[in-house]
């Protein structure tokens, strides 16, 4: 299907664009009352994500209501461990929780490499429905969590400030760690390829807990596996977003991907020097800047855009939009990017 707005894809490939494309991480939900109304119609987040028609509806809401240049499929990074045989629950106000964890060889034997087509059929169905409903208006982004971030949840059993149990495993049992990371990587490649076959125009890897590792461990236990995924996905443009991995920007510049996402702590000019000229950079306004008034949001956005001027860029925040941010300020951010020349 011919896209009416292909700015995101052209920017990712480094082609000339009339203006900078803009979308937001976590745009599907959170800030929109229309999303909250849909979520309140079901038992919770997981039921919403596993109901393709509803997942599609909330995926498209930001395109209609905010005017972003791309939709991102409504799902969760933790669908991969569930597809591998480790189910999770989403506890209100606490986040994800795994009733069982993976900490031994016997635990590993209970897992399987996920088949993206069948084990995650509800996501694939949601992509099909969304593509039909979008009718080529904007590209659809697919995504998955980076293997290290998924590993951290599977070993820890929940979110954590330190992920000390997960990091302990890397030191005390690197053989086990590499086995689990490879299982996750193989599952993730299958999943992303299934998303692409269903119609995803671009895919993004989220390494949400990249910054909790030191440089040496990040190289061995995260970047190595992200690199495998980048090498395997060659059908559509690919973005890697590794929050907090400021120390790995030079190495990320060598990944076989098109775009590197920057968090708001990564200096723009410094990042460009470290990553090099041949990657598109995505980001990286501090989400908290959107708590300002319209003039403040506009000024912060222009300041960011000026720093990216003249180089390959996709405008975004430096992390997901916070749930209590006023949607009107999000619209100011998006409109300011669109008007910037």
């Amino acid at each position: 299907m011919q896209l009416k707005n292909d700015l995101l894809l052209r920017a990712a490939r480094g082609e000339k664009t009339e203006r900078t494309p803009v979308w937001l991480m976590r745009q599907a939900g959170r800030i929109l009352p229309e999303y909250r109304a849909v979520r309140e119609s079901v038992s919770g987040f997981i039921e919403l994500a596993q109901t393709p028609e509803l997942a599609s509806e909330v995926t498209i809401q930001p395109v209609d209501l905010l005017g972003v240049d791309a939709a991102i499929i409504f799902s969760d990074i933790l669908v991969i461990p569930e597809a591998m045989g480790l189910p999770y629950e989403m506890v209100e106000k606490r986040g994800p929780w795994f009733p069982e964890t993976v900490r031994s060889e016997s635990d590993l034997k209970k897992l399987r490499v996920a088949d993206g087509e069948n084990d995650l059929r509800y996501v694939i169905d949601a992509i099909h429905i969304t593509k039909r409903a979008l009718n080529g208006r904007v590209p659809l982004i697919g995504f998955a969590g980076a293997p290290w971030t998924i590993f951290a949840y599977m070993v820890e059993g929940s979110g954590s400030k330190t992920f000390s149990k997960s990091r302990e495993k890397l030191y005390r049992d690197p053989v086990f760690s590499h086995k689990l990371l490879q299982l996750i990587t193989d599952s993730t490649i299958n999943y992303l390829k299934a998303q692409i076959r269903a119609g995803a125009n671009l895919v993004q890897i989220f390494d949400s807990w990249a910054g909790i590792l030191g440089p040496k461990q990040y190289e061995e236990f995260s970047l190595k596996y992200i690199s495998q995924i980048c090498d395997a996905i060659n059908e559509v443009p690919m973005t890697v977003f590794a929050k907090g991995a400021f120390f790995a920007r030079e190495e990320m510049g060598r990944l076989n991907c098109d775009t590197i996402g920057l968090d708001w702590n990564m200096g723009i000019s410094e990042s460009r020097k470290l990553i090099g000229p041949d990657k598109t950079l995505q980001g990286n306004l501090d989400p908290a800047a959107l708590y300002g008034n319209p003039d403040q949001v506009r000024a912060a956005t222009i300041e960011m855009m000026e720093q990216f001027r003249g180089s390959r860029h996709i405008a975004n925040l430096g992390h997901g939009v916070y749930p209590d941010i006023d949607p009107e300020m999000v619209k100011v951010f998006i409109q300011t990017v669109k008007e910037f020349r």
Side-chain angles (χ1 to χ4, degrees):
M1 184 184 293
Q2 188 73 29
L3 286 168
K4 299 176 183 75
N5 175 350
D6 65 349
L7 285 170
L8 177 80
L9 304 184
R10 283 191 282 144
R13 294 190 293 254
E15 297 170 10
K16 188 171 175 57
T17 57
E18 309 82 71
R19 63 169 175 82
T20 303
V22 57
W23 69 281
L24 289 86
M25 291 180 280
R26 290 184 177 157
Q27 68 185 16
R30 300 182 71 130
I31 60 166
L32 296 174
E34 292 83 355
Y35 162 80
R36 291 194 288 271
V38 176
R39 177 158 173 173
E40 284 163 14
S41 71
V42 293
S43 62
F45 175 88
I46 290 178
E47 185 184 351
L48 175 52
Q50 293 182 353
T51 307
E53 295 78 11
L54 297 181
S56 174
E57 182 181 344
V58 297
T59 295
I60 294 170
Q61 283 175 348
V63 179
D64 294 331
L65 301 169
L66 301 175
V68 286
D69 290 311
I72 180 166
I73 196 67
F74 182 83
S75 187
D76 189 77
I77 62 170
L78 297 180
V79 299
I80 278 285
E82 184 157 68
M84 292 171 65
L86 194 75
Y88 74 108
E89 299 170 12
M90 194 64 80
V91 182
E92 197 66 37
K93 296 186 180 174
R94 282 188 55 199
W97 180 70
F98 287 85
E100 295 180 17
T101 56
V102 183
R103 295 182 186 171
S104 67
E105 289 287 337
S106 61
D107 293 334
L108 272 182
K109 287 173 184 169
K110 298 175 190 173
L111 301 176
R112 63 181 178 273
V113 173
D115 175 324
E117 209 79 54
N118 299 306
D119 294 325
L120 288 156
R121 169 52 55 187
Y122 58 90
V123 180
I124 305 309
D125 287 345
I127 290 174
H128 282 298
I129 294 167
T130 303
K131 287 292 287 186
R132 285 195 297 272
L134 283 172
N135 195 29
R137 279 192 291 159
V138 294
L140 179 63
I141 302 168
F143 72 92
W148 153 248
T149 287
I150 302 302
F151 174 105
Y153 282 106
M154 292 175 79
V155 173
E156 204 80 21
S158 66
S160 166
K161 288 182 179 176
T162 61
F163 281 99
S164 54
K165 294 183 180 69
S166 308
R167 287 159 60 214
E168 175 193 9
K169 268 292 173 196
L170 305 183
Y171 283 102
R172 297 188 64 168
D173 201 343
V175 173
F176 163 91
S177 298
H178 283 299
K179 282 182 184 175
L180 177 52
L181 284 162
Q182 192 61 57
L183 281 172
I184 297 167
T185 300
D186 294 342
S187 298
T188 302
I189 290 168
N190 288 346
Y191 179 42
L192 289 174
K193 284 188 174 287
Q195 290 185 55
I196 293 163
R197 284 192 297 271
N201 302 104
L202 178 148
V203 292
Q204 177 160 317
I205 288 287
F206 286 88
D207 203 357
S208 306
W209 294 107
I212 210 162
L213 296 179
K216 185 180 176 186
Q217 283 199 307
Y218 191 69
E219 178 79 35
E220 180 179 353
F221 295 106
S222 186
L223 213 54
K224 170 183 172 181
Y225 295 99
I226 290 174
S227 183
Q228 278 189 44
I229 297 169
C230 290
D231 289 344
I233 303 297
N234 51 25
E235 301 90 335
V236 299
M238 182 162 186
T239 299
V240 174
F241 174 67
K243 186 175 184 296
F246 63 91
F247 47 79
R249 283 173 289 176
E250 193 170 347
E251 291 80 1
M252 286 193 285
R254 293 194 284 270
L255 289 172
N256 189 15
C257 67
D258 303 270
T259 300
I260 301 294
L262 306 181
D263 70 38
W264 73 92
N265 290 310
M266 295 177 180
I268 293 166
S269 60
E270 179 189 52
S271 296
R272 177 52 78 195
K273 285 175 192 160
L274 290 168
I275 292 167
D278 299 326
K279 293 270 190 283
T280 299
L281 299 183
Q282 179 174 278
N284 69 334
L285 188 70
D286 182 351
L290 299 187
Y291 287 121
N293 62 39
D295 288 341
Q296 291 169 326
V297 172
R298 202 170 290 111
T301 304
I302 290 170
E303 182 181 359
M304 176 195 76
M305 295 298 290
E306 288 288 1
Q307 291 181 70
F308 280 109
R309 185 187 285 281
S311 71
R312 296 169 57 171
H313 182 217
I314 295 167
N316 207 311
L317 303 180
H319 197 229
V321 62
Y322 300 145
D324 60 343
I325 283 174
D326 182 351
E328 292 305 313
M329 294 307 100
V330 174
K331 291 178 186 176
V332 171
F333 166 69
I334 292 165
Q335 195 56 39
T336 304
V337 172
K338 287 183 171 183
E339 292 169 357
F340 184 82
R341 295 291 185 273

